[in-house]
């Protein structure tokens, strides 16, 4: 049999794409997806599933794509993954499912992420037919609530006296809420921003994750019966205790790692030095790239330095390019090999003209008389022994100071867990980085009834890890409620 | 959506809105603020809560027309809605019985001062108030402030009402007439940055503790971006979660002033764009 090569993803031409915020990767066409799906050898003991934090039946959905049964493919996906269009785009598959693919041993793994994205996008594109289809199914199989989302939602509000509060509407909270809704709980998500989605809305740029796609996936979660209340900052607008008093039986905290880190070096508060969170929130959530049609401004110069080399740094650099910077530099204290960003994103960034400035660490920012940043003083670095993270430790080279002209700086050196909510919960055990201490398998915290997961527990990690934590916590909450049920029945009388 | 129950214009270019916000009204304390967004294309702006009615679930905001968004808000009427209101944000002002409190407020800052001064009065403090405005028709809440003040001064830049000059002139006179610390135990200063800066400089010379309410640029208002960062005694703080109240003697005023001017050009561009659209009848 002729061997099928791994199907390439069509992408937007680089000259065009640096001028817009539209998707870079365009997605598989039907024929390509079917071809790629046929590469999967349908292992009896599929190792790819082990690599997926939300345990998607990968060979199962791929088989359906190969059989051109896309409706069934998306159904299998959504059985475990509530946000497949998101995950298909932003998961680091190369270190998760795809690295475990048997084909990876001798060649290229099956493009699981691209296929997931294909199935999810196909459903979105055909959603009208899909809805009609499921409605008919509902009529035919009356009494089976699993077939209808709206039916599920009514059931939830009618039967369930078990209300669960989910704090934060990022990937962890959305997943936890969706899974709990599928278990027939009455779930309310509380979100402090005006939009739902957390980092999916404010952090990851449009050209990597279209906001319309995120909104469609969130609508799916709403259709499961989850209520979402935006503009509520738990800890300020309401306390966790008040949520319990209002009758919520358990609370999942998924408030993420929204606290930007700075270097604490001189000049860091000069004008045009942004945290990546501010820079990306302005650009993505507030759509500052459409200023003045949208009201939120963003101000950048011609030469932008992004400090850091994770995905957030790549996103910031590529946003800066699209906002019209002449030159964008990634300034990183280690070498390209140690960069934590996804390989694909580093390649995309380089292709678009982002320049890597490696083994360099800023020690001071320089400003003009109006406090605008005009440059930075840096030290050259060399690599020493591996540190706790396993990456080789950067060591400053003596007397290697040099200056560097920049007129805009974006600090993308990481985020810490957001301390606002944990601080307001008396008795909650918190780690030294402000993270909520949890049992990793269940999300159980030091306070009965309060569960936590995602970046608030682990520090900044990936979307899919947060989703995995949300899924595990949903299971644990179900167990907790079931064990508590008799108790609740008594006090409810 | 949050409904405007009542709108009025108590002073030139200063609008007063009573907004139905059950969650915020239930919780808000003096010194706290909300972030609001008018519509889908709007920006998020911080506004301090001037009054709350817990029974009727209403908060009152005074919003001065200074740029695109605040001018657009000024066009709203009773019955209209604001898309997003989140709060109460920030740490409430520190209220205790200090003895005598000197309340210095300028412009629309009087609206921010009022709930703080009222709470200080209720705690048993003696209140000395110095209000200032450009001219008579820019003064808000004068009677309300007068009612809770044991001593009351008002200044206008043009001198057509109250004393001619700035609040800082009255402050200097009062301090000159009294020996150190006999005038007040603490100063609360709320208003434009140049005013708070000058007041802090004067009181520092008298070693008189001064609390200011800072108003840097904000985006989310929940501590996730650092747009509102200020240097307090050489340490970076986020005004939205660590403030907005800080020790005026520790604030890096130059840095704050410069950071507030970051988007000047863009702000003008936005306003021009809005005026053009309005003129075109859109």
């Amino acid at each position: 049999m002729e061997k099928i090569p791994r199907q390439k993803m069509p992408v937007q031409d680089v000259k065009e794409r640096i001028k817009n915020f539209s998707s870079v990767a365009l997605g598989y066409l039907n024929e390509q997806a079917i071809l790629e799906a046929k590469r999967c050898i349908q292992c009896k003991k599929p190792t790819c599933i082990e690599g997926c934090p939300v345990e998607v039946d990968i060979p199962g959905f791929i088989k359906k794509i190969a059989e051109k049964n896309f409706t069934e493919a998306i159904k299998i996906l959504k059985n475990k993954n509530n946000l497949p269009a998101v995950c298909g785009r932003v998961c680091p598959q190369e270190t998760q499912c795809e690295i475990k693919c048997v084909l990876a041993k001798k060649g290229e793994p099956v493009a699981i992420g691209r296929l997931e994205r294909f199935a999810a996008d196909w459903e979105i594109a055909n959603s009208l037919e899909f809805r009609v289809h499921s409605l008919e199914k509902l009529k035919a199989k009356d009494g089976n609530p699993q077939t209808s989302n709206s039916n599920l939602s009514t059931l939830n509000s009618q039967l369930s006296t078990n209300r669960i509060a989910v704090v934060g509407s990022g990937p962890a909270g959305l997943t936890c809420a969706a899974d709990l809704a599928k278990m027939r709980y009455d779930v309310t998500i509380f979100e402090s921003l005006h939009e739902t989605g957390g980092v999916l809305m404010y952090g990851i740029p449009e050209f990597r994750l279209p906001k319309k796609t995120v909104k469609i996936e969130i609508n799916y979660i709403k259709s499961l019966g989850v209520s979402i209340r935006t503009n509520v900052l738990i800890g300020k607008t309401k306390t966790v205790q008040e949520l319990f008093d209002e009758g919520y039986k358990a609370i999942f905290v998924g408030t993420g790692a929204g606290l930007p880190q700075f270097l604490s070096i001189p000049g860091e508060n000069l004008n045009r030095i942004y945290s990546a969170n501010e820079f990306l929130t302005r650009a993505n959530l507030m759509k500052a790239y459409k200023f003045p049609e949208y009201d939120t401004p963003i101000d950048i110069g011609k030469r932008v330095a992004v400090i850091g080399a994770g995905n957030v740094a790549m996103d910031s650099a590529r946003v800066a390019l699209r906002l019209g910077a002449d030159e964008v530099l990634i300034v990183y204290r280690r070498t390209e090999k140690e960069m934590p960003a996804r390989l694909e994103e580093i390649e995309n960034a380089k292709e678009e003209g982002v320049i890597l400035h490696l083994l360099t660490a800023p020690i001071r920012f320089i400003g003009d008389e109006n406090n605008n940043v005009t440059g930075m003083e840096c030290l050259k670095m060399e690599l020493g022994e591996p540190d706790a993270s396993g990456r080789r430790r950067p060591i400053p080279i003596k007397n290697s100071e040099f200056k560097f002209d920049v007129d805009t700086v974006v600090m993308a050196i990481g985020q810490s867990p957001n301390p606002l909510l944990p601080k307001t919960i008396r008795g909650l055990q918190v780690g030294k980085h402000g993270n909520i201490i949890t049992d990793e398998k269940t999300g159980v915290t030091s306070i009965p009834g309060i569960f936590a997961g995602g970046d608030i527990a682990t520090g900044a990690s990936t979307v899919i890890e947060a989703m995995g934590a949300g899924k595990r916590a949903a299971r644990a909450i179900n167990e907790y409620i079931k064990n508590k049920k008799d108790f609740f029945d008594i006090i409810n009388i | 959506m949050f409904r405007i129950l009542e709108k009025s214009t108590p002073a030139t270019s200063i609008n007063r809105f009573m907004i139905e916000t059950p969650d915020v009204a239930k919780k808000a304390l003096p010194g706290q603020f909300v972030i609001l967004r008018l519509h889908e294309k709007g920006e998020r702006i911080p506004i301090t809560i001037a009054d709350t009615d817990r029974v009727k679930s209403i908060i009152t905001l005074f919003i001065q027309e200074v740029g695109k968004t605040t001018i657009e808000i000024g066009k709203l009427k009773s019955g209209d809605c604001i898309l997003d209101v989140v709060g109460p944000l920030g740490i409430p002002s520190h209220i205790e019985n200090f003895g005598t409190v000197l309340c210095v407020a300028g412009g629309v800052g009087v609206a921010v001062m009022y709930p703080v001064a009222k709470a200080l009065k209720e705690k048993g403090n003696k209140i000395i108030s110095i209000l200032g405005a450009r001219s008579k028709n820019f003064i808000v809440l004068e009677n309300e402030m007068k009612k809770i003040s044991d001593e009351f001064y008002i200044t206008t830049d043009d001198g057509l009402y109250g004393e001619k000059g700035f609040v800082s002139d009255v402050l200097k006179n009062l301090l000159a007439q009294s020996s150190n610390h006999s005038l007040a135990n603490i100063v609360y200063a709320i208003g434009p940055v140049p005013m708070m800066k000058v007041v802090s400089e004067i009181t520092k010379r008298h070693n008189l503790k001064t609390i200011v309410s800072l108003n840097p640029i904000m985006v989310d208002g929940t501590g996730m971006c650092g747009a509102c960062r200020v240097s307090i005694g050489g340490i970076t703080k986020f005004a939205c979660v660590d403030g907005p109240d800080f020790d005026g003697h520790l604030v890096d005023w130059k840095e704050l002033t410069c950071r507030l001017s970051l988007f000047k050009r863009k702000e003008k561009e936005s306003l021009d764009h809005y005026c053009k659209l309005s003129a075109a009848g859109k």
Side-chain angles (χ1 to χ4, degrees), chain A residues 232-246:
Chain A
V232 181
L233 177 60
I234 300 297
K236 290 279 183 191
T237 313
K238 276 177 202 288
T239 62
V240 160
Q241 187 52 52
E242 284 165 322
L243 290 176
F244 281 127
D245 294 346
E246 284 176 23

Side-chain angles (χ1 to χ4, degrees), chain A residues 192-194 202 229 231-233 236-239 242 258-260 262 268-275 277-278 281-282 286 291-299 369-371 418 420, chain B residues 2 23 27 37 39-44 68-69 72 84-90 217 219-220 222-225 227 229 231 236 238 241 254-255 258-259 262-263 265-266 269-270 273:
Chain A
S192 68
L193 287 171
H194 57 263
Y202 75 76
R229 292 199 50 203
N231 294 317
V232 181
L233 177 60
K236 290 279 183 191
T237 313
K238 276 177 202 288
T239 62
E242 284 165 322
L259 181 73
F262 288 92
E268 209 160 25
N269 295 344
L270 289 168
N271 282 355
R272 280 188 178 165
I273 298 183
Y274 298 93
S275 74
N277 267 7
E278 182 188 351
T281 299
R282 285 181 182 276
M286 306 310 297
F291 180 89
E293 183 197 343
Y294 282 72
D295 293 340
T296 303
I298 198 161
D299 188 57
E369 68 284 359
N370 297 319
N371 269 28
N418 196 327
L420 196 135
Chain B
F2 299 85
D23 287 341
K27 270 295 169 55
R37 189 176 72 129
H39 49 68
E40 280 300 330
K41 292 182 177 178
E43 60 180 337
R44 296 167 64 96
K68 197 259 169 176
T69 297
E72 203 178 1
D84 300 295
V85 179
V86 60
L89 303 174
I217 291 171
V219 183
D220 61 286
T222 64
M224 62 168 261
C225 84
R229 61 195 193 273
S231 293
T236 295
F238 292 0
V241 287
K254 188 196 170 193
E255 183 185 284
C258 289
R259 287 186 66 83
L262 174 59
F263 296 111
R265 201 171 44 87
K266 293 273 180 183
E269 197 183 325
S270 177
H273 178 77

Side-chain angles (χ1 to χ4, degrees), chain B residues 230-237 246-252:
Chain B
V230 287
S231 293
I232 307 296
I235 297 164
T236 295
K237 301 272 184 189
F246 292 102
D247 183 337
H249 299 162
L250 299 177
V251 174
D252 184 334

Side-chain angles (χ1 to χ4, degrees), chain A residues 33-70:
Chain A
I34 294 160
L35 260 184
E36 182 63 31
K38 283 181 177 160
R39 292 181 66 228
C40 174
I41 58 170
Q42 296 289 320
C43 304
K44 278 231 172 65
K45 284 183 185 165
T47 44
C48 50
I49 300 177
E50 292 166 20
C52 175
V54 296
E55 307 149 13
V56 165
D57 174 8
I58 293 168
F61 95 83
I62 291 182
K63 185 160 183 266
K64 294 298 170 189
I65 293 180
E67 291 167 0
K68 301 185 196 174
N69 188 347
F70 306 141

